[in-house]
Amino acid sequence: MVITLGDVFRRYGPAYRARWGSQLSSAQLAAMHAIEACRTEALGGQVYRCPHCDQVRYAYHSCRNRHCPTCQHDAAQDWLARQQDLLLPVPSFLVTFTLPAALRAIAFQHQAQVYDLFFRASAAALQQLAQDPRFLGGQLGMVGVLQTWTRDLRYHPHIHYLVPGGGLSADGRTWITARADFLVHVKPLAILFRAKLQAALRQTELWRSIPAEVWRQAWVVDCRPVGSGWTALKYLAPYVFRVALSNNRILGMADGEVTFRYQDGETRQTRISTLSAEAFIERFLQHILPKGFVKVRSYGLFRVGARQQLTRLRAQLILQQRKVELLPPDDERPEPDQHQDLRCPNCGQALRLERVLPRQRAPPDVQSVASREQRR
């Protein structure tokens, strides 16, 4: 029998709320009630009967809460179908910004405010570094997704950005292609991100609560290639709709405990964790986002106001790609002035290529060439 998060909440949720309900946010309480009622008679539904064997089947309605693993199971495919406009025919990268441990307690207490600044600072830092001519020199397109959990449900806020491998130059017409395996340097990006978030938090009432050492330690940013645009979107889709725990990871609940499996991030091995029901529910509720908070955001070339420009850019890149595909590979492509089967005018033997002279920017001076010939 498959055990769902709803089963856990229905059995242990009322006792948890009786003890800790006064400390829960309205979003957490709403999520608990929705998940408990999901696909039960509480939400109503339809009754079906077989005309042959008289078998009755009940189909109850879903809660559609964005934190419910039952409701979000198939949502990723629907999201993918709506993201065709973001596809560019270039390799893509996943850039991940992680909030340092010393800031996480403040982030959890002021989620909407800190998460919003987290988005703004990380997106601005990535865009600024990419626009620097020393790095890429162009404007990026970015889709960012906030995720707050580790595989074993601990609190670990980070943002994944899907970024095409290149940028649009300042003239708005020229596409600058990034290297296939490299987008930006992560060390200066982490420094710039830290500075921008520091400046943003300095303007808030939270500043006095932040330990000074957080601004002296190294911050973590990761950047890695993830394949083509479509491959990258499929890679990102689970992050958009994945909740902290899927139902198929729950292995059992008994004697006031819940057991679930997760994958170790370093070894990639499957591990088993057993927590008290209270600790399990507490870990899950850490990842309930504030009501109305937008966890998926677009920037640069991917922002809603730039969709017409993005459409033109996509057409331009597709055209360039098709032109390249029509040409033979570089090692098979003849030079326009290349003469085949050159022969020595004296003996008639085939001439062997010894070296290639670089192309000059301007025609050589005839007198200087003549004088060099005379010196020889």
Side-chain angles (χ1 to χ4, degrees), residues 1 3 9 18 24 35 42 61 65 123 132 136 145 180 214 231 238 257 261 277 296 303 311 321 336 356 373:
M1 177 181 176
I3 299 174
F9 275 17
L24 299 180
I35 293 171
H61 292 156
N65 187 284
D132 190 322
L136 182 63
V145 182
V214 72
T231 301
E257 294 181 331
R261 61 178 173 83
V296 183
R303 69 188 190 278
T311 300
Q321 186 181 64
V356 176
E373 293 296 330

Side-chain angles (χ1 to χ4, degrees), residues 137-156:
Q139 183 187 29
L140 300 174
M142 302 180 291
V143 176
V145 182
L146 173 70
Q147 186 173 338
T148 62
W149 57 84
T150 60
R151 291 178 173 89
D152 60 348
L153 303 185
R154 298 183 188 275
Y155 186 63
H156 186 264

Side-chain angles (χ1 to χ4, degrees), residues 115-169:
Y115 292 165
D116 184 65
L117 296 178
F118 187 11
F119 261 117
R120 293 173 184 270
S122 56
L126 180 54
Q127 194 71 265
Q128 180 177 328
L129 195 68
Q131 288 179 323
D132 190 322
R134 294 173 297 175
F135 296 95
L136 182 63
Q139 183 187 29
L140 300 174
M142 302 180 291
V143 176
V145 182
L146 173 70
Q147 186 173 338
T148 62
W149 57 84
T150 60
R151 291 178 173 89
D152 60 348
L153 303 185
R154 298 183 188 275
Y155 186 63
H156 186 264
H158 51 285
I159 297 176
H160 297 290
Y161 284 99
L162 176 63
V163 186
L168 193 62
S169 65

Side-chain angles (χ1 to χ4, degrees), residues 184-255:
V184 293
H185 291 280
V186 293
K187 287 186 177 180
L189 179 58
I191 294 172
L192 187 57
F193 164 50
R194 181 182 62 189
K196 287 187 175 296
L197 189 55
Q198 180 183 19
L201 286 169
R202 192 188 295 270
Q203 305 302 315
T204 71
E205 70 284 357
L206 306 178
W207 177 252
R208 294 181 180 179
S209 304
I210 300 174
E213 62 267 19
V214 72
W215 310 118
R216 295 191 291 266
Q217 67 185 57
W219 288 26
V220 178
V221 177
D222 180 76
C223 179
R224 61 187 63 190
V226 288
S228 66
W230 178 245
T231 301
L233 273 178
K234 290 193 293 183
Y235 185 92
L236 187 67
Y239 291 101
V240 176
F241 292 99
R242 182 186 298 160
V243 293
L245 184 78
S246 57
N247 288 325
N248 59 14
R249 289 174 52 198
I250 302 176
L251 302 180
M253 59 174 184
D255 302 323

